[in-house]
Amino acid sequence: MVSEHAPQPAAQVLVASNRGPVSYTLREDGSLDAKRGGGGLVSGLSAVDDKTWVCAALGDGDREAVRRGVGEPGVRMLDIDADVHADAYNGIANSVLWFVHHLLYQTPVEPVFDAEFRRQWASFETYNRAFAAALAEEAGEGAAVLVQDYHLALVPGMLRELRPDLRIGHFSHTPWAPVDYFRLLPDDIAEQLLHGILGADRAAFLTRRWADAFISCCTEILGGTGHTRIGVHGLGADAEFLRRRSHEADVDERMAALREQVGPGRKTIVRVDRTELSKNIVRGMLAYRALLDGRPEWRGRVVHIAFAYPSRQDLAVYREYTAEVQRVADGINSAYGTADWTPVVLHVKDDFARSLAAYRLADVVLVNPIRDGMNLVAKEVPVVSDDGCALVLSREAGAYEELGTDAITVNPYDVSATADALHEALTMADDERAARTKRLAAAATALPPQQWFLDQLEALRQG
């Protein structure tokens, strides 16, 4: 599971996450192609040069790289058995923990915690134990270890037993379930998860709301949080990178193509999401349909640019949801489209440059998740918008805590009210929209990724 010939403990800053900063693809000729990852975590961790990143091998290319001894300095990739990883990642992390924290279960029929669940839970323990063992091997005396997210909720407690000298932090990138919903989990599993995170010196969250929910769970189930300190770090957008990247040539090309698809003189409602169940894409499209139905004056005058990038397609429920997004979009275009107007422009192929082009074009951005730890799209669009944008924002997004004052807030389940909010956003006066966009951008960039990470590291080291 873990290399028998680990290097001598030396690292003073360690990070653990399921996905690492690099991935490998096996080419037909047998060579390995390395690809660098992106996102807030990779950007944030670039603030520290001398660190060790422990991650899992996620595919055949990664596993082959580990077996050949191919890797990057400062990255320890774990070749965890593929079946164990599938149980832990898809079976538990994404099909149980994600569903609990995002309140996604249809409780009359799910969840069902049976023998198969217990078998997969044993794999989740094995997977977490592999991370704890690797971190224990890599860490220097008194090192700071920052464990990332719900996939590795058991690691802090396991690592504490192996290396009591370490400073251990855990950061949750998701919401935390309210106590009544968290207690859907079997009692012993709920306790094990809480004890796992409380093995950390410090447990941190994206918003005060999620931190308070965790404290409530600990208080009711365990009687308190023990010696673990609780922190809040609201990850912000990387303004410098976004503004630079959004004006490169490939983005300009995508903007020209999108403008042609939209047509002259029309307003745009933009959404950029993975087809993740919690993102609420279908209700967003139903709200747009309700707008066209209830306010016919918008027909021919507005286009919904919807980027719905496939996510977790190895799970049937996600494949079905992705198909439903396509079906609803096709239904709107069939019902309302004309020879020169396509009401919904739907793209399902992930393209970051095209996303940035849509950000710049957006008159309105729709961010209506059922529940979201933060939602960086809500923060990124105001930063790069060319002419200012109105933000329609779910009150269940973590970003609401910082952006709610200047957004048009919606209940994500209320399709009619969301349609009204879209109308309000489309008719917002230019000067008000510009002023709100300026304030949204300032709030969105208050804690950029590098400072977000350094703040956590400093708080952990302070003890």
Side-chain angles (χ1 to χ4, degrees):
M1 199 76 65
V2 178
S3 168
E4 295 177 4
H5 305 288
Q8 291 299 307
Q12 285 302 309
V13 177
L14 298 96
V15 177
S17 63
N18 178 68
R19 182 179 299 278
V22 63
S23 61
Y24 297 92
T25 304
L26 193 59
R27 294 197 184 108
E28 286 186 11
D29 64 3
S31 63
L32 288 167
D33 182 35
K35 181 181 178 184
R36 299 291 303 178
L41 187 59
V42 172
S43 178
L45 267 57
S46 67
V48 178
D49 292 327
D50 186 17
K51 62 182 178 291
T52 294
W53 194 325
V54 177
C55 58
L58 298 184
D60 292 339
D62 287 356
R63 292 189 179 90
E64 186 61 28
V66 176
R67 288 162 194 157
R68 293 184 189 180
V70 173
E72 293 195 2
V75 177
R76 171 84 179 270
M77 192 174 277
L78 306 180
D79 184 11
I80 297 169
D81 179 84
D83 290 337
V84 169
H85 186 271
D87 284 343
Y89 183 72
N90 282 329
I92 298 298
N94 289 342
S95 296
V96 176
L97 302 183
W98 181 274
F99 273 60
V100 167
H101 289 314
H102 290 83
L103 316 186
L104 292 176
Y105 279 124
Q106 299 180 62
T107 52
V109 293
E110 58 182 4
V112 177
F113 296 122
D114 54 10
E116 174 62 8
F117 164 77
R118 293 287 173 172
R119 187 193 66 77
Q120 292 184 327
W121 182 259
S123 293
F124 187 73
E125 292 173 318
T126 300
Y127 160 82
N128 274 253
R129 201 171 291 115
F131 272 86
L135 290 164
E137 289 176 356
E138 298 283 350
E141 185 70 25
V145 181
L146 291 108
V147 180
Q148 304 297 313
D149 228 357
Y150 60 104
H151 314 91
L152 302 179
L154 303 182
V155 168
M158 292 173 169
L159 182 57
R160 175 68 62 210
E161 292 183 6
L162 296 171
R163 291 288 303 274
D165 60 296
L166 300 178
R167 306 295 300 172
I168 304 170
H170 185 276
F171 193 90
S172 294
H173 293 263
T174 63
W176 193 271
V179 64
D180 287 348
Y181 207 90
F182 187 73
R183 299 203 80 160
L184 288 177
L185 291 166
D187 292 352
D188 62 316
I189 300 298
E191 291 181 16
Q192 192 178 348
L193 283 165
L194 296 176
H195 279 305
I197 291 178
L198 292 179
D201 297 284
R202 195 166 183 275
F205 299 84
L206 286 164
T207 73
R208 172 49 53 188
R209 181 183 178 188
W210 312 143
D212 287 347
F214 176 75
I215 292 168
S216 295
C217 287
C218 291
T219 301
E220 181 160 327
I221 295 169
L222 303 179
T225 55
H227 299 293
T228 302
R229 292 174 294 121
I230 309 299
V232 174
H233 303 274
L235 175 63
D238 187 343
E240 183 181 346
F241 164 74
L242 287 168
R243 287 176 178 139
R244 182 183 71 250
R245 181 68 183 87
S246 65
H247 285 85
E248 291 179 3
D250 59 342
V251 177
D252 289 334
E253 290 171 12
R254 306 299 198 282
M255 284 185 72
L258 283 173
R259 280 200 180 100
E260 189 171 336
Q261 286 183 295
V262 170
R266 293 183 177 126
K267 292 193 175 254
T268 58
I269 299 169
V270 167
R271 82 170 306 133
V272 178
D273 279 310
R274 291 174 293 110
T275 51
E276 162 55 58
L277 307 181
S278 61
K279 298 298 184 182
N280 208 26
I281 300 169
V282 169
R283 285 193 191 90
M285 286 190 175
L286 294 176
Y288 177 63
R289 180 169 189 143
L291 173 77
L292 299 179
D293 188 47
R295 299 184 186 271
E297 67 270 23
W298 284 114
R299 295 178 195 173
R301 293 179 52 218
V302 64
V303 171
H304 185 17
I305 300 174
F307 295 165
Y309 301 142
S311 173
R312 300 176 184 170
Q313 294 299 291
D314 42 356
L315 297 176
V317 66
Y318 284 84
R319 294 195 297 274
E320 292 161 8
Y321 188 74
T322 302
E324 178 67 3
V325 169
Q326 183 73 59
R327 189 189 69 77
V328 173
D330 290 346
I332 294 170
N333 286 338
S334 175
Y336 298 101
T338 62
D340 69 342
W341 173 54
T342 304
V344 179
V345 172
L346 176 65
H347 286 282
V348 296
K349 189 175 188 304
D350 197 344
D351 184 331
F352 184 56
R354 188 173 57 212
S355 297
L356 290 174
Y359 285 4
R360 288 180 57 189
L361 284 174
D363 295 296
V364 177
V365 57
L366 175 59
V367 179
N368 68 317
I370 293 169
R371 197 167 166 87
D372 218 335
M374 177 55 70
N375 195 294
L376 282 178
V377 171
K379 290 187 168 185
E380 290 170 349
V381 179
V383 173
V384 301
S385 172
D386 280 1
D387 299 314
C389 65
L391 172 61
V392 176
L393 180 64
S394 165
R395 66 190 185 199
E396 300 303 316
Y400 170 75
E401 201 162 286
E402 297 161 89
L403 307 183
T405 304
D406 286 296
I408 300 170
T409 306
V410 294
N411 170 348
Y413 299 95
D414 191 337
V415 168
S416 297
T418 303
D420 292 341
L422 291 174
H423 175 73
E424 181 184 345
L426 288 165
T427 55
M428 186 180 290
D430 290 347
D431 56 349
E432 181 182 355
R433 190 174 68 176
R436 287 195 189 207
T437 303
K438 187 175 182 180
R439 292 192 296 268
L440 287 167
T445 55
L447 193 62
Q450 292 195 5
Q451 193 59 48
W452 168 84
F453 181 75
L454 290 174
D455 284 2
Q456 290 177 67
L457 185 58
E458 179 63 23
L460 182 59
R461 284 172 164 167
Q462 283 178 352

